[in-house]
Amino acid sequence: MLSITKSLRVRLPGVSPAAIGGTLATRLLATGMSFAAGVIAARALGVEGRATFAVMISVPSVLSIVTVLGVDNANARFAGTSHTAFRQIVRWSLVFSMISGSALAGLWLLLAHLWPPVLLGVPYWLALLVAAMCPVSLLTTLLGMAELGRGRVAMYNLLSTVPAAGYLLGVCGLSAAGSLTPTSCFLSVLAGQLVCATMLLIASTTRVHADGEPVAARTFGSFALRSYLPNLIHYGMLRLDVPVIQTLAGATAVAVYAVALPLAEGLLLLSTTVALVMFPAVTSGAVDARAAAKIARTVFVAAATTAVVAAAAAPLLIPAVYGQPYSGAVPVIWAMLPGLVLFSAARSVQPYLAAAGLLRPVITGTVIGAVVNIALLVALTPHHGAVGAGAADSAGYLVFAVLLVLGVRRAVRARRRHRAEYTGDEAPARVPAGRLSVKAVGDLWRAACSRLGKPVLADRALMIRAGLLTVTGVGCLATVFSPALSAAGAAGAAMLVVVVLALIPEVGLCVLGAAIPLSQSDLGNWLITPSVLVALMLVCLLGRVIAGLGIARPKPLSVLITVGTVGYMVTTSVLIGDADPMAADKWQYLLLMCAPLMLLPLVAEPGRALDRALLVFCGGSVVVALVDIVRIGSVFAAKSSLAAADTAVLAITQEGAANHNAAGALFVMAAAVLLRRYPTVRGRLLRLATGAGVVVLALGVAYSLSRAAYLAGIAVIVLYAARRSLRGVLATSVGAACLLPLLPAAIAARFDSILGGAPDVNSAVRLDLWSSALRMFEAHPALGVGYLNFAHQLPAYYQATGDYEVMLLQFPLLHFAHNTYLTVLSQTGLVGTLGIGSLVVFGLRRAWRATRTGDPAGEAALLAMVGAGVCSLFGEVLLVPPLLAGLMLIVLATKPAPADRPVAVAR
């Protein structure tokens, strides 16, 4: 036993193994009691009842974490300075918990009264009980951290078990009496919290330190706010999943996730315990940089070992303990484990970083990890339920750990270079260990890291290998035990790709450029979804941060208009119209549509990297065009007996075929880029390849059978030729006239339908949709009917004027007016049209200015915008997220021209 204790003291320098062991034991005891109570409740309540109870207990926890504002960390930091400061902190905690906890709970109830979906399925009278628990839960947290901060670890450990004990006793008693319901279960939890708060108030009357100076409110508040954001986001990455899953996947997925959540949180017990005990030690100077690195390595090894045991035992324990209906929680646990292992190690050094003043890597890693988590949560949960949510959590934790390591490494190198500038007597003196202070911790960090071999904290390669091995191991284990975990396996592979792309930013941007055309192909539209494209944008942003490039800085006015327009679209989508505002598909499409507007200006800026990405985009479009030409040509050959017009319709309505209008618009934009670059290409081979690409894309436009793309292609060619000479216009016209007879009859028939004749059924329906959109605008000119509310409002405004059966129309599927301009006008009104129009004007102005300076990218952007604008007259190609992303990349590649730069004349 003595040898074990000695070994632990070596591996956990500066902290007491007994304190860690006691805190861990009480947390395990509390977790065990909560686990036992949860098992009893799950078996008695069933899946639906367990889901309701999970939402009821998660709301107070979430609201308490949101309203704590870092006061819990500040209590732990300053409660041990003097008894005067502790009494001051207790008074502040009482007032703060009553005001802050009650205010946010009251706001939740007010919103629920105005908008019932905020209740997440909880009846309003039960929501009153939930709101009453918020100040109590906040008070127990604040007083408990104050006790821990003044060194009463044993008292803190004892009282932290009271809520769990009350929960278990209440559930057992209610189960024995046969009156176990979600309401009675929640009342038992509330009773445990009230008892714990009372005991903490009694314990606060005990004097531990002598009287001294009070804590300055400014110092206290500053420390609280600086430590608030990382803890808030870390907690939310697990707890906020419950209401999100409830919204996107339903109650069954919530019940499964709620079973997996305690086991996943159990893996964080060690790192959380170490952080709690370590925090006062860091502030007192007992733990330095070397000790923090050694503690992180120890926690990482322990977490990895525990994760392997948990992954192997989960398939046996979950069905045996909870019952077979909850066996779906096993793949959820497997999906969570990889990120949790690395997060445990990173979490262990966070108290040291906070005390040493290295908060930037913590905040950066936390924010970007949370963004990745939310994006993947929205993308994966509707399709894969709780498993997708678990994979999203794991990815967010993995990103946080990697960014924390890289950020700390960069900060340490910068401080080391700063130290090297000192010479002779100017070098900072080393502070003795006995008089180590928080102010000196940052200086000691430089000296300590220079002597470390390859610790986990400072070795990026080791952390990445560990993460990849963890992902691979859990993925293999999941494949053996559960073939149903294909979603989690795919997410694990996706995390491998994310790590590689994030470490090489240029590759990430090129992959994004290739994914855009692939998403519009028959083979790739199921693989490269809009969700995947948004994830790639986030990876590009992540890569820029890791590489130290920062984020691109668009003009403040454009940022303001973009944020305002996106916010307006979200608001009108939710608050205007009678459609379900919480529909999962509606929210998902809205977020995916707005993501390119918000993310691409931050990751794409003029330069070689974006130029390469555009070349990849054009090359991918050429490949997709070749595939489409072969596919459509085979249909023409197989159906040669049919009429030309019927053959064309059959070709574009094949099962599994991509949207021909979107594909045609894609080919037009890519052709515009290559057409303008052709004169500037050097080398015969490259020039020949560029010219061949333009020809293939032109044929792709023809074989797309999109009449809007035909008109857009003509507009692009005419504009390009008109900017050169009249001879170019004449040559273009003659060449096009000579090529028309060589086209297949089906393509010629599509051209003929543009030039004249009676409109077909599709054209008649489109005209009626346009008139319906205008009627919507007349009825709601200012705000419109609400973004994505067009289909719900359409039956009230639709008037058929063509020769077709209205009963055959599927109104719920007609989300747009088949005209981007009328869609924006009818759904967002004059306000939204002004915002979106301003963004279009910004793009045109940027492209035109770049064109006047002779920048080839400027004219390419101008041609692409004209082509997309013509396509928008007959469809919603720019409301397709991949096409919007492609056009934005083309526009962002232009170099903004200074006002005083000489204007070059285009030739």
PDB file of all heavy atoms in Angstrom, residues 82-83 136 294 324 393 399 401 456 503 537 560 575 785:
ATOM      1  N   SER A  82      -9.693  33.977   3.344  1.00  0.00           N
ATOM      2  CA  SER A  82      -9.968  34.373   4.728  1.00  0.00           C
ATOM      3  C   SER A  82     -11.419  34.040   5.045  1.00  0.00           C
ATOM      4  O   SER A  82     -12.242  33.808   4.145  1.00  0.00           O
ATOM      5  CB  SER A  82      -9.712  35.870   4.938  1.00  0.00           C
ATOM      6  OG  SER A  82     -10.646  36.643   4.208  1.00  0.00           O
ATOM      7  N   HIS A  83     -11.729  34.013   6.360  1.00  0.00           N
ATOM      8  CA  HIS A  83     -13.111  33.756   6.751  1.00  0.00           C
ATOM      9  C   HIS A  83     -14.004  34.927   6.374  1.00  0.00           C
ATOM     10  O   HIS A  83     -15.190  34.738   6.048  1.00  0.00           O
ATOM     11  CB  HIS A  83     -13.181  33.525   8.265  1.00  0.00           C
ATOM     12  CG  HIS A  83     -14.550  33.134   8.745  1.00  0.00           C
ATOM     13  ND1 HIS A  83     -15.160  31.961   8.357  1.00  0.00           N
ATOM     14  CD2 HIS A  83     -15.445  33.773   9.566  1.00  0.00           C
ATOM     15  CE1 HIS A  83     -16.357  31.866   8.913  1.00  0.00           C
ATOM     16  NE2 HIS A  83     -16.559  32.968   9.657  1.00  0.00           N
ATOM     17  N   VAL A 136     -32.399  26.523  -6.502  1.00  0.00           N
ATOM     18  CA  VAL A 136     -31.879  25.577  -5.510  1.00  0.00           C
ATOM     19  C   VAL A 136     -30.659  24.856  -6.064  1.00  0.00           C
ATOM     20  O   VAL A 136     -29.636  24.710  -5.388  1.00  0.00           O
ATOM     21  CB  VAL A 136     -32.974  24.566  -5.115  1.00  0.00           C
ATOM     22  CG1 VAL A 136     -32.435  23.581  -4.081  1.00  0.00           C
ATOM     23  CG2 VAL A 136     -34.193  25.297  -4.573  1.00  0.00           C
ATOM     24  N   LYS A 294       2.701  15.963 -16.186  1.00  0.00           N
ATOM     25  CA  LYS A 294       2.742  14.589 -15.670  1.00  0.00           C
ATOM     26  C   LYS A 294       1.358  14.124 -15.238  1.00  0.00           C
ATOM     27  O   LYS A 294       0.964  12.969 -15.453  1.00  0.00           O
ATOM     28  CB  LYS A 294       3.725  14.523 -14.492  1.00  0.00           C
ATOM     29  CG  LYS A 294       3.973  13.111 -13.978  1.00  0.00           C
ATOM     30  CD  LYS A 294       5.069  13.099 -12.919  1.00  0.00           C
ATOM     31  CE  LYS A 294       6.410  13.416 -13.542  1.00  0.00           C
ATOM     32  NZ  LYS A 294       7.517  13.229 -12.561  1.00  0.00           N
ATOM     33  N   GLN A 324     -33.611  -5.045 -22.712  1.00  0.00           N
ATOM     34  CA  GLN A 324     -33.309  -5.114 -24.137  1.00  0.00           C
ATOM     35  C   GLN A 324     -33.740  -3.874 -24.920  1.00  0.00           C
ATOM     36  O   GLN A 324     -33.069  -3.497 -25.881  1.00  0.00           O
ATOM     37  CB  GLN A 324     -33.973  -6.365 -24.734  1.00  0.00           C
ATOM     38  CG  GLN A 324     -33.481  -6.724 -26.128  1.00  0.00           C
ATOM     39  CD  GLN A 324     -31.992  -7.047 -26.133  1.00  0.00           C
ATOM     40  OE1 GLN A 324     -31.470  -7.619 -25.179  1.00  0.00           O
ATOM     41  NE2 GLN A 324     -31.308  -6.664 -27.195  1.00  0.00           N
ATOM     42  N   ASP A 393     -20.620  14.451 -30.300  1.00  0.00           N
ATOM     43  CA  ASP A 393     -19.935  14.780 -29.045  1.00  0.00           C
ATOM     44  C   ASP A 393     -18.465  14.395 -29.106  1.00  0.00           C
ATOM     45  O   ASP A 393     -17.576  15.151 -28.703  1.00  0.00           O
ATOM     46  CB  ASP A 393     -20.610  14.056 -27.880  1.00  0.00           C
ATOM     47  CG  ASP A 393     -21.997  14.604 -27.585  1.00  0.00           C
ATOM     48  OD1 ASP A 393     -22.262  15.762 -27.944  1.00  0.00           O
ATOM     49  OD2 ASP A 393     -22.807  13.860 -27.011  1.00  0.00           O
ATOM     50  N   VAL A 399     -11.660  17.629 -31.266  1.00  0.00           N
ATOM     51  CA  VAL A 399     -11.184  18.910 -31.786  1.00  0.00           C
ATOM     52  C   VAL A 399     -10.673  19.796 -30.649  1.00  0.00           C
ATOM     53  O   VAL A 399      -9.624  20.447 -30.772  1.00  0.00           O
ATOM     54  CB  VAL A 399     -12.324  19.608 -32.558  1.00  0.00           C
ATOM     55  CG1 VAL A 399     -11.968  21.050 -32.866  1.00  0.00           C
ATOM     56  CG2 VAL A 399     -12.623  18.850 -33.835  1.00  0.00           C
ATOM     57  N   ALA A 401      -9.385  18.864 -27.756  1.00  0.00           N
ATOM     58  CA  ALA A 401      -8.116  18.362 -27.236  1.00  0.00           C
ATOM     59  C   ALA A 401      -6.965  18.702 -28.168  1.00  0.00           C
ATOM     60  O   ALA A 401      -5.894  19.148 -27.723  1.00  0.00           O
ATOM     61  CB  ALA A 401      -8.210  16.847 -27.021  1.00  0.00           C
ATOM     62  N   VAL A 456       2.656  14.519 -23.015  1.00  0.00           N
ATOM     63  CA  VAL A 456       1.407  14.565 -23.755  1.00  0.00           C
ATOM     64  C   VAL A 456       0.990  15.997 -24.020  1.00  0.00           C
ATOM     65  O   VAL A 456       0.442  16.329 -25.062  1.00  0.00           O
ATOM     66  CB  VAL A 456       0.303  13.816 -22.967  1.00  0.00           C
ATOM     67  CG1 VAL A 456      -1.039  13.994 -23.640  1.00  0.00           C
ATOM     68  CG2 VAL A 456       0.640  12.341 -22.851  1.00  0.00           C
ATOM     69  N   LEU A 503      -5.100  19.647 -40.326  1.00  0.00           N
ATOM     70  CA  LEU A 503      -3.675  19.918 -40.185  1.00  0.00           C
ATOM     71  C   LEU A 503      -3.068  20.481 -41.467  1.00  0.00           C
ATOM     72  O   LEU A 503      -1.975  21.034 -41.438  1.00  0.00           O
ATOM     73  CB  LEU A 503      -2.936  18.640 -39.778  1.00  0.00           C
ATOM     74  CG  LEU A 503      -3.324  18.082 -38.402  1.00  0.00           C
ATOM     75  CD1 LEU A 503      -2.560  16.796 -38.128  1.00  0.00           C
ATOM     76  CD2 LEU A 503      -3.045  19.094 -37.305  1.00  0.00           C
ATOM     77  N   MET A 537     -16.561  22.910 -44.456  1.00  0.00           N
ATOM     78  CA  MET A 537     -16.296  24.330 -44.189  1.00  0.00           C
ATOM     79  C   MET A 537     -15.760  24.523 -42.779  1.00  0.00           C
ATOM     80  O   MET A 537     -14.823  25.307 -42.548  1.00  0.00           O
ATOM     81  CB  MET A 537     -17.571  25.148 -44.385  1.00  0.00           C
ATOM     82  CG  MET A 537     -18.120  25.143 -45.792  1.00  0.00           C
ATOM     83  SD  MET A 537     -19.701  26.033 -45.887  1.00  0.00           S
ATOM     84  CE  MET A 537     -20.371  25.366 -47.398  1.00  0.00           C
ATOM     85  N   LEU A 560     -22.032  42.670 -41.079  1.00  0.00           N
ATOM     86  CA  LEU A 560     -23.246  43.117 -40.394  1.00  0.00           C
ATOM     87  C   LEU A 560     -24.492  42.771 -41.198  1.00  0.00           C
ATOM     88  O   LEU A 560     -25.484  42.257 -40.655  1.00  0.00           O
ATOM     89  CB  LEU A 560     -23.162  44.624 -40.154  1.00  0.00           C
ATOM     90  CG  LEU A 560     -24.355  45.269 -39.423  1.00  0.00           C
ATOM     91  CD1 LEU A 560     -24.489  44.689 -38.022  1.00  0.00           C
ATOM     92  CD2 LEU A 560     -24.173  46.776 -39.359  1.00  0.00           C
ATOM     93  N   LEU A 575     -41.189  32.460 -36.538  1.00  0.00           N
ATOM     94  CA  LEU A 575     -42.286  33.213 -35.944  1.00  0.00           C
ATOM     95  C   LEU A 575     -43.436  33.512 -36.892  1.00  0.00           C
ATOM     96  O   LEU A 575     -44.530  33.836 -36.433  1.00  0.00           O
ATOM     97  CB  LEU A 575     -41.754  34.542 -35.387  1.00  0.00           C
ATOM     98  CG  LEU A 575     -40.682  34.425 -34.295  1.00  0.00           C
ATOM     99  CD1 LEU A 575     -40.266  35.806 -33.820  1.00  0.00           C
ATOM    100  CD2 LEU A 575     -41.188  33.588 -33.135  1.00  0.00           C
ATOM    101  N   VAL A 785     -44.315  35.687 -46.122  1.00  0.00           N
ATOM    102  CA  VAL A 785     -45.018  34.619 -45.405  1.00  0.00           C
ATOM    103  C   VAL A 785     -44.080  33.830 -44.501  1.00  0.00           C
ATOM    104  O   VAL A 785     -44.511  32.892 -43.831  1.00  0.00           O
ATOM    105  CB  VAL A 785     -45.705  33.655 -46.402  1.00  0.00           C
ATOM    106  CG1 VAL A 785     -46.764  34.369 -47.201  1.00  0.00           C
ATOM    107  CG2 VAL A 785     -44.677  32.989 -47.319  1.00  0.00           C
TER     108      VAL A 785
END
